[in-house]
Amino acid sequence: NINITTKNNAEGIYLTSSNSNILSNINIKTSSTGAYGIYLTSSSSNAFAGCNITTAGSNGDGIYLTSSSNSNSFSGCNVTTTGGNGDGIYLAASNYNIYSGLNILTSGSGANGVWIDTNGNYNNFSNMNILAAASGIRVNSANSNIVKDGSIVSRSANDYYLQNSSTNNFINTNFTTRKIYLNDISSRFNYAKNNIMLNTNQIVSPTKVLTITRSLVNWTQTNITWQETVSATRTLNYGMGGLLPNTRYSIWNGAIIGYNLTTDINGILPNFSINLTTSPKTIKVVST
């Protein structure tokens, strides 16, 4: 059991060009501006387990990775930040890292639960419970990350924030009513529940930001129903997979049949688009 309490802009644990370290049962507290709980740069294959991390200074992220790739792992950790812009996890230019069983709580203004920044690709996040003051998870110019199971919630901002990012997958995260922020037309929200995938992006020129408030109503292979409320009049493009193969589906936009489409042998439905206003709209995809 290691207890670390820092002062004067010091990190709890700082690794640079350091590999294959194993640390467990660590209690870390930092309080000054810019002081991170765990900081990795140019480091790989390090393992952290059973960590309790608390930061209180502004810009004091709980776990910070830069240029650190190849199986750094964090498991069973509790991360709490109270300072402004103190993200629970921040990573940039860091690939193929593993985060599992983390509980993240942020309360300072501008503090995201997880921020995956530029070129943070192919990372795996599982069974995370996030309650954030700012975005639950923010992805900026990063792709091919997997976020699976657990819960992603923002108290007052967007649960999911996507900017210049299109191929990240959110799988079986707790999803009743959630806010999805799309910063541009290239960003795509890919959500799967019970192996049924719904992909969403906006069609607009020039590029504009959009918040989607989405509620899931029904989620089976024969009846997928959700309610969509958008922050501005917009056309959304949808793609779906994991449906019954070689089956005809009707797409309902409220009470009006919009399309009749047939899945391929893999249960993938051709893409379809729906015009939405700021009034709530129920969308159904039903087998016929």
Side-chain angles (χ1 to χ4, degrees), residues 96-119:
Y96 297 103
N97 299 296
I98 302 168
Y99 303 81
S100 62
L102 272 65
N103 297 307
I104 298 173
L105 175 64
T106 72
S107 57
S109 175
N112 305 291
V114 174
W115 186 345
I116 308 172
D117 210 349
T118 307
N119 294 326

Side-chain angles (χ1 to χ4, degrees), residues 24-42:
S24 60
N25 299 320
I26 306 165
N27 298 311
I28 299 171
K29 291 184 178 182
T30 71
S31 58
S32 54
T33 299
Y36 308 107
I38 296 175
Y39 185 109
L40 271 64
T41 179
S42 302

Side-chain angles (χ1 to χ4, degrees), residues 2 4 10-24 26 28 36-49 51 53 62-74 90 92 94 97:
I2 305 171
I4 302 171
E11 275 69 43
I13 295 175
Y14 183 96
L15 299 180
T16 179
S17 301
S18 183
N19 306 317
S20 302
N21 297 286
I22 300 175
L23 298 98
S24 60
I26 306 165
I28 299 171
Y36 308 107
I38 296 175
Y39 185 109
L40 271 64
T41 179
S42 302
S43 299
S44 64
S45 301
N46 298 287
F48 300 85
C51 306
I53 301 168
I63 299 172
Y64 184 103
L65 271 70
T66 180
S67 301
S68 293
S69 302
N70 300 325
S71 299
N72 292 294
S73 67
F74 302 84
Y90 177 89
S94 298
N97 299 296

Side-chain angles (χ1 to χ4, degrees), residues 16-286:
T16 179
S17 301
S18 183
N19 306 317
S20 302
N21 297 286
I22 300 175
L23 298 98
S24 60
N25 299 320
I26 306 165
N27 298 311
I28 299 171
K29 291 184 178 182
T30 71
S31 58
S32 54
T33 299
Y36 308 107
I38 296 175
Y39 185 109
L40 271 64
T41 179
S42 302
S43 299
S44 64
S45 301
N46 298 287
F48 300 85
C51 306
N52 293 303
I53 301 168
T54 302
T55 70
S58 61
N59 298 301
D61 299 336
I63 299 172
Y64 184 103
L65 271 70
T66 180
S67 301
S68 293
S69 302
N70 300 325
S71 299
N72 292 294
S73 67
F74 302 84
S75 61
C77 295
N78 299 310
V79 180
T80 301
T81 72
T82 58
N85 299 317
D87 301 322
I89 297 172
Y90 177 89
L91 65 147
S94 298
N95 307 315
Y96 297 103
N97 299 296
I98 302 168
Y99 303 81
S100 62
L102 272 65
N103 297 307
I104 298 173
L105 175 64
T106 72
S107 57
S109 175
N112 305 291
V114 174
W115 186 345
I116 308 172
D117 210 349
T118 307
N119 294 326
N121 306 318
Y122 299 101
N123 297 283
N124 191 298
F125 301 83
S126 62
N127 291 298
M128 293 195 308
N129 292 305
I130 297 171
L131 181 58
S135 296
I137 186 163
R138 177 170 180 165
V139 187
N140 178 31
S141 300
N143 281 292
S144 300
N145 297 285
I146 295 175
V147 181
K148 186 176 182 179
D149 302 322
S151 177
I152 299 171
V153 178
S154 169
R155 289 191 187 90
S156 57
N158 300 288
D159 305 294
Y160 300 85
Y161 182 116
L162 297 172
Q163 180 176 356
N164 193 32
S165 302
S166 62
T167 60
N168 303 283
N169 290 321
F170 304 94
I171 303 170
N172 291 335
T173 55
N174 183 32
F175 201 116
T176 50
T177 298
R178 294 288 181 262
K179 287 187 176 181
I180 305 150
Y181 178 90
L182 301 177
N183 188 75
D184 44 68
I185 60 174
S186 65
S187 292
R188 179 181 291 270
F189 182 63
N190 306 317
Y191 179 76
K193 180 180 179 182
N194 301 331
N195 296 318
I196 300 170
M197 173 71 80
L198 174 63
N199 306 320
T200 310
N201 67 291
Q202 59 175 328
I203 302 174
V204 64
S205 181
T207 297
K208 294 182 180 180
V209 300
L210 182 72
T211 296
I212 304 168
T213 302
R214 175 176 294 173
S215 301
L216 304 188
V217 179
N218 199 72
W219 208 261
T220 68
Q221 285 187 311
T222 57
N223 182 345
I224 307 94
T225 303
W226 68 97
Q227 186 181 78
E228 212 84 296
T229 306
V230 292
S231 57
T233 298
R234 204 64 48 89
T235 300
L236 294 186
N237 182 61
Y238 299 97
M240 298 194 72
L243 304 180
L244 297 173
N246 301 315
T247 301
R248 187 174 181 177
Y249 282 82
S250 293
I251 290 82
W252 292 66
N253 181 6
I256 302 172
I257 296 177
Y259 298 85
N260 285 293
L261 302 175
T262 301
T263 56
D264 64 14
I265 60 173
N266 297 310
I268 298 173
L269 198 69
N271 285 6
F272 58 92
S273 299
I274 295 178
N275 299 320
L276 297 171
T277 66
T278 54
S279 299
K281 182 68 69 174
T282 298
I283 301 170
K284 294 183 179 181
V285 179
V286 183

